[in-house]
Coordinates of all heavy atoms in Angstrom, one line a residue:
M238 N -13.7 -72.5 -35.4 CA -13.8 -73.8 -35.8 C -14.9 -74.0 -37.0 O -15.1 -75.1 -37.3 CB -14.1 -74.7 -34.6 CG -13.0 -75.0 -33.8 SD -13.4 -76.0 -32.3 CE -14.1 -77.4 -33.1
K239 N -15.2 -73.0 -37.6 CA -16.5 -73.2 -38.6 C -16.0 -73.9 -39.8 O -16.9 -74.3 -40.6 CB -17.1 -71.8 -38.9 CG -16.2 -70.7 -39.5 CD -17.0 -69.6 -39.7 CE -16.2 -68.3 -39.9 NZ -16.9 -67.2 -40.0
N240 N -14.8 -74.2 -40.1 CA -14.4 -74.9 -41.3 C -14.2 -76.3 -41.0 O -13.7 -77.1 -41.9 CB -13.1 -74.3 -42.0 CG -13.4 -72.9 -42.5 OD1 -14.4 -72.7 -43.0 ND2 -12.4 -72.1 -42.4
Y241 N -14.4 -76.7 -39.8 CA -14.3 -78.2 -39.4 C -15.6 -78.9 -39.4 O -16.7 -78.3 -39.1 CB -13.7 -78.2 -37.9 CG -12.2 -77.7 -38.0 CD1 -11.9 -76.4 -37.7 CD2 -11.2 -78.5 -38.4 CE1 -10.6 -76.0 -37.6 CE2 -9.9 -78.2 -38.4 CZ -9.6 -76.8 -38.1 OH -8.3 -76.3 -38.0
Y242 N -15.6 -80.2 -39.6 CA -16.8 -81.0 -39.6 C -16.6 -82.2 -38.6 O -15.5 -82.6 -38.2 CB -16.9 -81.7 -41.0 CG -17.3 -80.7 -42.0 CD1 -16.3 -80.0 -42.7 CD2 -18.6 -80.4 -42.4 CE1 -16.7 -79.0 -43.8 CE2 -19.0 -79.5 -43.4 CZ -18.0 -78.9 -44.1 OH -18.3 -77.9 -45.0
V243 N -17.7 -82.7 -38.3 CA -17.9 -83.9 -37.5 C -18.9 -84.8 -38.0 O -19.9 -84.3 -38.7 CB -18.2 -83.5 -36.0 CG1 -19.6 -82.9 -35.8 CG2 -18.1 -84.7 -35.1
I244 N -18.8 -86.1 -38.0 CA -19.7 -87.1 -38.4 C -20.4 -87.6 -37.2 O -19.8 -88.2 -36.2 CB -19.0 -88.1 -39.2 CG1 -18.3 -87.7 -40.4 CG2 -20.0 -89.3 -39.6 CD1 -19.0 -87.0 -41.5
L245 N -21.8 -87.5 -37.2 CA -22.6 -88.1 -36.2 C -23.5 -89.2 -36.7 O -23.8 -89.1 -37.8 CB -23.4 -87.0 -35.4 CG -22.8 -85.8 -34.9 CD1 -23.7 -84.7 -34.4 CD2 -21.8 -86.2 -33.8
E246 N -23.7 -90.2 -35.9 CA -24.5 -91.3 -36.4 C -25.9 -91.5 -35.6 O -25.8 -91.2 -34.3 CB -23.7 -92.7 -36.4 CG -22.7 -92.8 -37.4 CD -22.0 -94.1 -37.5 OE1 -22.2 -94.9 -36.5 OE2 -21.4 -94.4 -38.4
K247 N -26.8 -92.0 -36.3 CA -28.1 -92.3 -35.6 C -28.5 -93.7 -36.1 O -28.5 -94.0 -37.3 CB -29.2 -91.2 -36.1 CG -30.5 -91.5 -35.5 CD -31.4 -90.3 -35.7 CE -31.5 -89.8 -37.1 NZ -32.6 -88.8 -37.3
N248 N -28.9 -94.5 -35.1 CA -29.3 -95.9 -35.4 C -30.7 -95.9 -35.8 O -31.5 -95.2 -35.0 CB -29.0 -96.8 -34.3 CG -27.6 -97.1 -34.0 OD1 -26.8 -97.2 -34.9 ND2 -27.1 -97.1 -32.8
T249 N -31.2 -96.6 -36.8 CA -32.5 -96.7 -37.3 C -32.8 -97.9 -38.0 O -31.9 -98.7 -38.2 CB -32.9 -95.3 -38.1 OG1 -34.3 -95.3 -38.3 CG2 -32.1 -95.3 -39.3
T250 N -33.9 -98.0 -38.6 CA -34.3 -99.2 -39.4 C -34.6 -98.6 -40.8 O -35.5 -97.8 -40.9 CB -35.4 -100.0 -38.8 OG1 -35.0 -100.5 -37.5 CG2 -35.8 -101.2 -39.7
C251 N -34.1 -99.2 -41.9 CA -34.5 -98.8 -43.1 C -35.9 -99.1 -43.5 O -36.4 -100.3 -43.3 CB -33.5 -99.5 -44.2 SG -34.0 -99.4 -45.9
P252 N -36.7 -98.1 -43.9 CA -38.2 -98.4 -44.2 C -38.3 -99.3 -45.4 O -39.4 -99.9 -45.4 CB -38.7 -97.0 -44.4 CG -37.6 -96.1 -44.8 CD -36.3 -96.7 -44.0
H253 N -37.4 -99.4 -46.3 CA -37.6 -100.1 -47.4 C -37.2 -101.6 -47.3 O -37.9 -102.6 -47.7 CB -36.9 -99.5 -48.7 CG -37.1 -100.3 -50.0 ND1 -38.3 -100.3 -50.6 CD2 -36.3 -101.1 -50.6 CE1 -38.2 -100.9 -51.7 NE2 -37.0 -101.5 -51.7
F254 N -36.0 -101.8 -46.7 CA -35.5 -103.1 -46.5 C -35.7 -103.8 -45.2 O -35.5 -105.0 -45.1 CB -33.9 -103.2 -46.9 CG -33.6 -102.9 -48.3 CD1 -33.0 -101.7 -48.6 CD2 -34.0 -103.8 -49.3 CE1 -32.7 -101.4 -50.0 CE2 -33.6 -103.6 -50.6 CZ -33.0 -102.3 -50.9
G255 N -36.0 -103.0 -44.2 CA -36.2 -103.5 -42.9 C -34.9 -103.7 -42.1 O -35.0 -104.5 -41.1
E256 N -33.7 -103.4 -42.7 CA -32.5 -103.6 -42.1 C -32.2 -102.6 -41.1 O -32.4 -101.3 -41.2 CB -31.4 -103.6 -43.2 CG -31.5 -104.6 -44.3 CD -30.9 -105.9 -43.8 OE1 -29.9 -105.9 -42.9 OE2 -31.3 -106.9 -44.3
K257 N -31.5 -103.0 -40.0 CA -31.0 -101.9 -39.0 C -29.8 -101.4 -39.5 O -28.9 -102.1 -40.1 CB -30.6 -102.7 -37.6 CG -31.9 -103.2 -37.0 CD -31.5 -103.6 -35.6 CE -32.7 -104.2 -34.8 NZ -33.8 -103.2 -34.5
I258 N -29.7 -100.0 -39.6 CA -28.6 -99.3 -40.1 C -28.3 -98.1 -39.3 O -29.0 -97.6 -38.5 CB -29.0 -98.8 -41.6 CG1 -30.3 -97.9 -41.6 CG2 -29.1 -99.9 -42.6 CD1 -30.4 -97.2 -42.9
A259 N -27.1 -97.6 -39.5 CA -26.7 -96.4 -38.8 C -26.5 -95.3 -40.0 O -25.5 -95.4 -40.8 CB -25.4 -96.6 -38.0
I260 N -27.4 -94.3 -40.0 CA -27.3 -93.2 -40.8 C -26.2 -92.2 -40.4 O -26.3 -91.9 -39.1 CB -28.6 -92.5 -41.0 CG1 -29.8 -93.4 -41.4 CG2 -28.6 -91.2 -41.9 CD1 -29.7 -93.7 -42.9
S261 N -25.3 -91.9 -41.2 CA -24.2 -90.8 -40.8 C -24.6 -89.5 -41.3 O -25.1 -89.3 -42.5 CB -22.8 -91.2 -41.4 OG -22.6 -92.5 -41.0
A262 N -24.4 -88.5 -40.5 CA -24.7 -87.1 -40.7 C -23.4 -86.3 -40.6 O -22.8 -86.3 -39.7 CB -25.7 -86.5 -40.0
K263 N -23.1 -85.5 -41.6 CA -22.0 -84.5 -41.6 C -22.5 -83.3 -41.1 O -23.4 -82.7 -41.6 CB -21.3 -84.4 -43.0 CG -20.2 -83.7 -43.1 CD -19.7 -83.6 -44.5 CE -18.3 -82.8 -44.7 NZ -17.8 -82.9 -46.0
Y264 N -21.8 -82.7 -40.0 CA -22.2 -81.4 -39.5 C -20.9 -80.5 -39.5 O -19.8 -81.0 -39.3 CB -22.6 -81.6 -38.0 CG -24.1 -82.0 -37.8 CD1 -24.5 -83.3 -37.8 CD2 -25.0 -81.1 -37.5 CE1 -25.8 -83.8 -37.7 CE2 -26.4 -81.4 -37.4 CZ -26.7 -82.7 -37.5 OH -28.1 -83.1 -37.2
R265 N -21.2 -79.3 -39.7 CA -20.2 -78.3 -39.8 C -20.3 -77.4 -38.5 O -21.3 -77.1 -38.0 CB -20.4 -77.3 -40.9 CG -19.4 -76.1 -41.1 CD -19.7 -75.3 -42.3 NE -21.2 -74.9 -42.3 CZ -21.7 -73.9 -41.6 NH1 -20.9 -73.1 -40.8 NH2 -23.0 -73.6 -41.7
F266 N -19.0 -77.2 -37.9 CA -19.1 -76.4 -36.6 C -19.4 -75.0 -37.1 O -18.9 -74.4 -38.0 CB -17.6 -76.4 -36.0 CG -17.5 -77.8 -35.2 CD1 -16.8 -78.8 -35.8 CD2 -17.8 -77.7 -33.9 CE1 -16.6 -80.0 -35.1 CE2 -17.6 -79.0 -33.1 CZ -17.1 -80.0 -33.7
T267 N -20.2 -74.4 -36.3 CA -20.8 -73.0 -36.6 C -19.9 -71.8 -36.2 O -19.9 -70.8 -36.7 CB -22.1 -72.7 -36.0 OG1 -21.9 -72.8 -34.5 CG2 -23.2 -73.8 -36.5
G268 N -19.0 -72.1 -35.3 CA -18.1 -71.0 -34.8 C -18.9 -70.1 -33.8 O -18.4 -69.0 -33.5
N269 N -19.9 -70.6 -33.2 CA -20.6 -69.9 -32.2 C -19.8 -69.6 -30.9 O -19.3 -70.6 -30.4 CB -22.0 -70.6 -31.8 CG -22.8 -69.9 -30.8 OD1 -22.4 -69.0 -30.2 ND2 -24.0 -70.5 -30.6
P270 N -19.5 -68.3 -30.6 CA -18.7 -68.0 -29.4 C -19.3 -68.4 -28.1 O -18.6 -68.6 -27.2 CB -18.5 -66.5 -29.5 CG -19.6 -66.0 -30.3 CD -20.1 -67.1 -31.3
N271 N -20.6 -68.6 -28.1 CA -21.3 -69.1 -26.9 C -21.3 -70.6 -26.7 O -21.6 -71.1 -25.7 CB -22.7 -68.5 -26.8 CG -22.7 -67.0 -26.8 OD1 -21.8 -66.4 -26.1 ND2 -23.6 -66.4 -27.5
N272 N -21.0 -71.3 -27.8 CA -21.1 -72.8 -27.7 C -20.1 -73.4 -28.8 O -20.4 -73.4 -30.0 CB -22.4 -73.4 -27.9 CG -22.5 -74.9 -27.9 OD1 -21.5 -75.6 -27.8 ND2 -23.7 -75.4 -27.9
D273 N -18.9 -73.7 -28.3 CA -17.9 -74.2 -29.3 C -18.3 -75.6 -29.9 O -17.7 -76.1 -30.9 CB -16.5 -74.5 -28.5 CG -15.9 -73.3 -28.1 OD1 -16.2 -72.2 -28.8 OD2 -15.0 -73.2 -27.2
Y274 N -19.4 -76.3 -29.4 CA -19.7 -77.6 -29.8 C -20.9 -77.5 -30.8 O -21.4 -78.6 -31.2 CB -20.0 -78.5 -28.7 CG -18.8 -78.7 -27.8 CD1 -18.6 -78.0 -26.7 CD2 -17.9 -79.6 -28.2 CE1 -17.4 -78.1 -25.9 CE2 -16.8 -79.8 -27.4 CZ -16.6 -79.1 -26.3 OH -15.3 -79.3 -25.6
E275 N -21.4 -76.3 -31.1 CA -22.6 -76.2 -31.9 C -22.3 -76.5 -33.4 O -21.3 -76.1 -33.8 CB -23.2 -74.7 -31.9 CG -24.4 -74.6 -32.6 CD -25.0 -73.2 -32.5 OE1 -24.5 -72.3 -33.3 OE2 -25.7 -72.9 -31.7
V276 N -23.0 -77.4 -34.0 CA -22.8 -77.7 -35.4 C -24.1 -77.5 -36.2 O -25.2 -77.6 -35.6 CB -22.4 -79.2 -35.4 CG1 -20.9 -79.4 -34.9 CG2 -23.3 -80.2 -34.7
C277 N -23.9 -77.4 -37.5 CA -25.0 -77.2 -38.4 C -25.1 -78.4 -39.4 O -24.0 -78.7 -40.0 CB -24.8 -75.9 -39.2 SG -26.1 -75.4 -40.4
F278 N -26.2 -78.9 -39.7 CA -26.4 -80.1 -40.6 C -25.9 -79.7 -42.0 O -26.4 -78.7 -42.6 CB -27.8 -80.6 -40.6 CG -28.1 -81.7 -41.5 CD1 -27.8 -83.0 -41.1 CD2 -28.8 -81.4 -42.7 CE1 -28.0 -83.9 -42.1 CE2 -29.1 -82.5 -43.6 CZ -28.6 -83.8 -43.3
S279 N -25.1 -80.6 -42.6 CA -24.7 -80.5 -44.0 C -25.4 -81.5 -44.8 O -25.9 -81.2 -45.9 CB -23.2 -80.5 -44.1 OG -22.5 -79.5 -43.4
K280 N -25.1 -82.8 -44.5 CA -25.6 -83.9 -45.4 C -25.6 -85.2 -44.6 O -24.9 -85.4 -43.7 CB -24.6 -84.0 -46.6 CG -24.9 -85.0 -47.6 CD -24.1 -84.9 -48.9 CE -24.6 -85.8 -49.9 NZ -23.9 -85.7 -51.2
A281 N -26.4 -86.0 -45.1 CA -26.6 -87.4 -44.4 C -26.2 -88.5 -45.4 O -26.5 -88.3 -46.6 CB -28.0 -87.6 -43.8
F282 N -25.8 -89.6 -44.9 CA -25.3 -90.7 -45.8 C -26.0 -92.0 -45.4 O -25.9 -92.3 -44.2 CB -23.8 -90.9 -45.8 CG -23.2 -89.6 -46.3 CD1 -22.7 -88.7 -45.2 CD2 -22.8 -89.3 -47.5 CE1 -22.1 -87.6 -45.6 CE2 -22.1 -88.2 -47.9 CZ -21.8 -87.3 -46.9
C283 N -26.6 -92.7 -46.2 CA -27.1 -94.0 -45.9 C -26.1 -95.1 -46.3 O -25.6 -95.2 -47.4 CB -28.4 -94.3 -46.7 SG -29.1 -96.0 -46.5
P284 N -25.8 -96.1 -45.4 CA -24.8 -97.1 -45.7 C -25.3 -98.0 -46.8 O -24.3 -98.6 -47.6 CB -24.6 -97.9 -44.4 CG -25.9 -97.7 -43.6 CD -26.4 -96.3 -44.0
I285 N -26.6 -98.2 -47.0 CA -27.1 -99.1 -48.2 C -26.8 -98.4 -49.5 O -26.4 -99.0 -50.5 CB -28.5 -99.4 -47.9 CG1 -28.8 -100.3 -46.7 CG2 -29.1 -100.0 -49.1 CD1 -30.2 -100.6 -46.4
V286 N -27.0 -97.0 -49.5 CA -26.8 -96.3 -50.8 C -25.4 -96.1 -51.0 O -24.8 -96.3 -52.2 CB -27.4 -95.0 -50.7 CG1 -27.1 -94.1 -51.9 CG2 -29.0 -95.1 -50.6
Q287 N -24.5 -95.9 -49.9 CA -23.1 -95.7 -50.0 C -22.3 -97.0 -50.5 O -21.2 -96.9 -51.0 CB -22.5 -95.1 -48.8 CG -23.0 -93.7 -48.5 CD -22.6 -92.7 -49.6 OE1 -23.5 -92.3 -50.3 NE2 -21.4 -92.5 -49.8
N288 N -22.9 -98.2 -50.0 CA -22.1 -99.4 -50.2 C -21.6 -99.8 -51.5 O -20.4 -100.0 -51.8 CB -22.8 -100.6 -49.5 CG -22.0 -101.8 -49.2 OD1 -21.1 -101.5 -48.4 ND2 -22.3 -102.9 -49.6
P289 N -22.5 -99.7 -52.6 CA -22.0 -99.9 -53.9 C -21.0 -99.0 -54.5 O -20.3 -99.3 -55.5 CB -23.2 -100.0 -54.8 CG -24.4 -99.4 -53.9 CD -23.9 -99.4 -52.5
K290 N -20.9 -97.9 -53.8 CA -19.9 -96.8 -54.3 C -18.4 -97.1 -53.8 O -17.6 -96.5 -54.3 CB -20.4 -95.4 -53.9 CG -21.6 -95.0 -54.4 CD -22.2 -93.6 -53.9 CE -23.5 -93.3 -54.4 NZ -24.0 -92.1 -53.8
L291 N -18.4 -98.0 -52.8 CA -17.1 -98.3 -52.3 C -16.4 -99.4 -53.1 O -16.9 -100.2 -53.9 CB -17.2 -98.9 -50.8 CG -17.9 -98.0 -49.8 CD1 -18.2 -98.7 -48.6 CD2 -17.1 -96.7 -49.5
H292 N -15.1 -99.4 -53.0 CA -14.3 -100.5 -53.6 C -14.8 -101.8 -53.1 O -15.3 -102.0 -51.9 CB -12.8 -100.3 -53.3 CG -11.9 -101.3 -54.0 ND1 -11.7 -102.6 -53.6 CD2 -11.3 -101.2 -55.3 CE1 -10.9 -103.2 -54.5 NE2 -10.6 -102.4 -55.5
E293 N -14.7 -102.9 -54.0 CA -15.4 -104.1 -53.6 C -14.8 -104.7 -52.2 O -15.6 -105.3 -51.4 CB -15.1 -105.1 -54.7 CG -15.9 -106.4 -54.4 CD -15.8 -107.4 -55.7 OE1 -15.8 -106.9 -56.9 OE2 -15.6 -108.6 -55.5
D294 N -13.6 -104.4 -52.0 CA -13.0 -105.0 -50.7 C -13.4 -104.3 -49.5 O -13.3 -104.7 -48.4 CB -11.4 -104.8 -50.8 CG -10.7 -105.7 -51.9 OD1 -11.5 -106.7 -52.3 OD2 -9.6 -105.4 -52.4
E295 N -14.0 -103.0 -49.8 CA -14.4 -102.2 -48.6 C -15.9 -102.3 -48.4 O -16.4 -101.7 -47.3 CB -14.1 -100.7 -48.8 CG -12.5 -100.5 -48.9 CD -12.2 -99.1 -49.3 OE1 -13.1 -98.3 -49.7 OE2 -11.0 -98.7 -49.1
Q296 N -16.6 -103.0 -49.3 CA -18.0 -103.0 -49.1 C -18.5 -104.0 -48.0 O -17.8 -104.9 -47.8 CB -18.8 -103.6 -50.4 CG -18.7 -102.6 -51.5 CD -19.3 -103.1 -52.8 OE1 -19.9 -104.2 -52.8 NE2 -19.2 -102.5 -53.9
R297 N -19.5 -103.6 -47.3 CA -20.0 -104.4 -46.2 C -20.9 -105.5 -46.7 O -21.8 -105.3 -47.6 CB -20.8 -103.5 -45.1 CG -19.8 -102.5 -44.5 CD -20.5 -101.7 -43.6 NE -21.2 -102.4 -42.4 CZ -21.8 -101.8 -41.4 NH1 -21.9 -100.5 -41.3 NH2 -22.4 -102.6 -40.5
K298 N -20.7 -106.7 -46.2 CA -21.3 -107.9 -46.8 C -22.9 -107.9 -46.6 O -23.6 -108.2 -47.5 CB -20.8 -109.2 -46.1 CG -19.3 -109.5 -46.5 CD -18.8 -110.8 -45.7 CE -17.5 -110.9 -46.1 NZ -16.9 -111.9 -45.3
E299 N -23.2 -107.3 -45.4 CA -24.7 -107.3 -45.2 C -25.6 -106.3 -46.1 O -26.7 -106.5 -46.2 CB -25.0 -106.9 -43.7 CG -24.6 -105.4 -43.3 CD -23.3 -105.5 -42.7 OE1 -22.4 -106.2 -43.0 OE2 -23.0 -104.6 -41.8
Y300 N -24.9 -105.4 -46.8 CA -25.5 -104.6 -47.8 C -25.2 -104.9 -49.2 O -25.8 -104.2 -50.1 CB -25.1 -103.2 -47.5 CG -25.3 -102.7 -46.1 CD1 -24.3 -101.9 -45.4 CD2 -26.5 -102.9 -45.4 CE1 -24.6 -101.5 -44.0 CE2 -26.8 -102.5 -44.1 CZ -25.8 -101.8 -43.4 OH -26.0 -101.4 -42.2
K301 N -24.4 -105.9 -49.5 CA -24.1 -106.3 -50.9 C -25.4 -106.7 -51.5 O -26.1 -107.5 -51.0 CB -23.0 -107.3 -50.9 CG -21.7 -106.8 -50.9 CD -20.6 -107.7 -51.2 CE -19.2 -107.1 -51.3 NZ -18.2 -107.9 -51.9
G302 N -25.6 -106.3 -52.7 CA -26.7 -106.7 -53.5 C -28.0 -105.9 -53.3 O -29.1 -106.0 -53.9
L303 N -27.9 -105.0 -52.2 CA -29.1 -104.1 -52.0 C -29.0 -102.9 -52.8 O -28.0 -102.3 -52.8 CB -29.2 -103.8 -50.5 CG -29.3 -104.9 -49.5 CD1 -29.4 -104.3 -48.0 CD2 -30.6 -105.7 -49.8
D304 N -30.0 -102.6 -53.5 CA -30.1 -101.4 -54.4 C -31.3 -100.7 -54.1 O -32.4 -101.0 -54.3 CB -30.1 -101.8 -55.9 CG -30.1 -100.7 -56.8 OD1 -29.6 -99.6 -56.5 OD2 -30.5 -100.9 -58.0
C305 N -31.1 -99.5 -53.3 CA -32.2 -98.7 -52.8 C -32.9 -97.9 -54.0 O -32.3 -97.2 -54.6 CB -31.7 -97.9 -51.7 SG -33.1 -97.0 -51.0
P306 N -34.2 -98.1 -54.1 CA -35.0 -97.5 -55.1 C -35.6 -96.2 -54.6 O -36.2 -95.4 -55.3 CB -36.2 -98.4 -55.5 CG -36.4 -99.1 -54.3 CD -35.0 -99.3 -53.5
V307 N -35.5 -95.9 -53.4 CA -36.1 -94.8 -52.7 C -35.4 -93.5 -53.0 O -34.2 -93.3 -52.7 CB -36.2 -94.9 -51.2 CG1 -36.9 -93.8 -50.5 CG2 -37.0 -96.2 -50.8
Q308 N -36.1 -92.5 -53.6 CA -35.6 -91.2 -53.9 C -35.9 -90.3 -52.7 O -37.1 -90.4 -52.2 CB -36.1 -90.7 -55.2 CG -35.8 -91.5 -56.4 CD -34.4 -91.3 -56.8 OE1 -33.8 -90.3 -56.7 NE2 -33.8 -92.5 -57.2
N309 N -35.0 -89.5 -52.3 CA -35.3 -88.5 -51.2 C -35.8 -89.3 -49.9 O -37.0 -89.0 -49.4 CB -36.4 -87.4 -51.6 CG -35.8 -86.7 -52.8 OD1 -34.7 -86.3 -52.8 ND2 -36.7 -86.4 -53.8
C310 N -35.2 -90.2 -49.5 CA -35.5 -90.9 -48.2 C -35.7 -90.0 -47.1 O -34.8 -89.2 -46.8 CB -34.4 -92.0 -48.0 SG -34.8 -93.0 -46.5
P311 N -36.8 -90.2 -46.3 CA -37.0 -89.3 -45.2 C -36.0 -89.5 -44.1 O -35.8 -88.5 -43.3 CB -38.4 -89.7 -44.8 CG -38.7 -91.1 -45.4 CD -37.9 -91.1 -46.5
L312 N -35.4 -90.6 -44.0 CA -34.4 -90.8 -43.0 C -33.2 -89.9 -43.1 O -32.5 -89.5 -42.2 CB -33.9 -92.2 -43.0 CG -34.9 -93.3 -42.6 CD1 -34.2 -94.6 -42.6 CD2 -35.4 -93.0 -41.2
L313 N -32.9 -89.5 -44.5 CA -31.8 -88.7 -44.7 C -32.0 -87.1 -44.4 O -31.1 -86.3 -44.3 CB -31.2 -88.7 -46.1 CG -30.8 -90.2 -46.5 CD1 -30.5 -90.3 -48.0 CD2 -29.6 -90.7 -45.7
N314 N -33.2 -86.8 -44.2 CA -33.7 -85.5 -43.9 C -34.2 -85.3 -42.5 O -34.6 -84.2 -42.0 CB -34.7 -84.9 -44.8 CG -34.1 -84.9 -46.2 OD1 -33.1 -84.4 -46.5 ND2 -34.9 -85.4 -47.1
D315 N -34.0 -86.4 -41.6 CA -34.5 -86.5 -40.3 C -33.5 -86.1 -39.2 O -33.3 -86.9 -38.4 CB -35.2 -87.8 -40.0 CG -36.0 -87.8 -38.7 OD1 -36.5 -86.7 -38.3 OD2 -36.1 -88.8 -38.0
F316 N -32.8 -85.0 -39.5 CA -31.7 -84.6 -38.5 C -32.0 -83.1 -38.2 O -32.4 -82.4 -39.1 CB -30.3 -84.7 -39.2 CG -29.9 -86.1 -39.3 CD1 -30.2 -86.8 -40.5 CD2 -29.1 -86.7 -38.4 CE1 -29.7 -88.2 -40.6 CE2 -28.6 -88.0 -38.5 CZ -28.9 -88.7 -39.6
P317 N -31.6 -82.8 -36.9 CA -31.8 -81.4 -36.6 C -30.8 -80.5 -37.3 O -29.7 -80.9 -37.6 CB -31.5 -81.5 -35.1 CG -30.8 -82.7 -34.7 CD -31.2 -83.6 -35.7
K318 N -31.3 -79.3 -37.6 CA -30.4 -78.4 -38.4 C -29.2 -77.8 -37.6 O -28.2 -77.7 -38.1 CB -31.2 -77.3 -39.0 CG -32.3 -77.8 -39.9 CD -31.9 -78.4 -41.1 CE -32.9 -78.9 -42.0 NZ -32.5 -80.0 -42.9
I319 N -29.5 -77.6 -36.4 CA -28.5 -77.1 -35.4 C -28.5 -78.1 -34.3 O -29.5 -78.5 -33.8 CB -28.8 -75.7 -34.9 CG1 -28.8 -74.7 -36.0 CG2 -27.7 -75.3 -33.9 CD1 -27.5 -74.4 -36.7
W320 N -27.2 -78.5 -33.8 CA -27.1 -79.5 -32.7 C -25.8 -79.2 -31.9 O -24.9 -78.6 -32.4 CB -27.0 -80.8 -33.4 CG -27.2 -82.0 -32.6 CD1 -26.2 -82.9 -32.0 CD2 -28.4 -82.4 -31.9 NE1 -26.7 -83.8 -31.3 CE2 -28.1 -83.5 -31.1 CE3 -29.7 -81.9 -32.0 CZ2 -29.1 -84.2 -30.4 CZ3 -30.7 -82.5 -31.3 CH2 -30.4 -83.7 -30.5
D321 N -25.9 -79.7 -30.7 CA -24.6 -79.7 -29.9 C -24.0 -81.1 -30.1 O -24.5 -82.0 -29.8 CB -25.0 -79.4 -28.4 CG -23.8 -79.3 -27.4 OD1 -22.9 -80.1 -27.7 OD2 -23.9 -78.4 -26.7
S322 N -22.8 -81.0 -30.6 CA -22.2 -82.3 -31.0 C -21.8 -83.2 -29.8 O -21.4 -84.4 -30.1 CB -20.8 -81.9 -31.8 OG -20.0 -81.2 -31.0
R323 N -21.9 -82.8 -28.6 CA -21.6 -83.5 -27.4 C -22.7 -84.5 -27.1 O -22.7 -85.4 -26.5 CB -21.3 -82.7 -26.2 CG -20.1 -81.8 -26.4 CD -19.9 -81.0 -25.3 NE -21.0 -79.8 -25.4 CZ -21.1 -78.8 -24.6 NH1 -20.2 -78.6 -23.7 NH2 -22.0 -77.9 -24.8
D324 N -24.0 -84.1 -27.7 CA -25.2 -84.9 -27.4 C -25.4 -85.9 -28.5 O -25.2 -85.7 -29.6 CB -26.4 -83.9 -27.4 CG -26.4 -82.8 -26.4 OD1 -25.7 -83.2 -25.3 OD2 -27.0 -81.8 -26.6
P325 N -25.9 -87.1 -28.0 CA -26.2 -88.1 -29.0 C -27.5 -87.8 -29.9 O -28.3 -87.0 -29.3 CB -26.5 -89.3 -28.2 CG -26.9 -88.9 -26.9 CD -26.1 -87.5 -26.7
L326 N -27.5 -88.2 -31.0 CA -28.7 -88.0 -31.9 C -29.8 -88.9 -31.5 O -29.6 -90.0 -31.1 CB -28.3 -88.1 -33.4 CG -27.5 -87.0 -34.0 CD1 -26.9 -87.4 -35.3 CD2 -28.1 -85.7 -33.9

């Protein structure tokens, strides 16, 4: 299963805007024979940053007009490198 991915979410508050958000993290299954659910962190996505990249009809209203100036947001790097996908973040 090492070519398969899963998206896990973590609820948090944006340090810049003070908005409650759910950061999504893409994890790749490792293929560990001792744990079929073990995943390795690939990338995280912030809904505030992703919103303007969506088609206007798909954008979430609560994030419209927000333009995040933060480079290398610590929230996007605050995920465990290896995780059991059955466990909540």
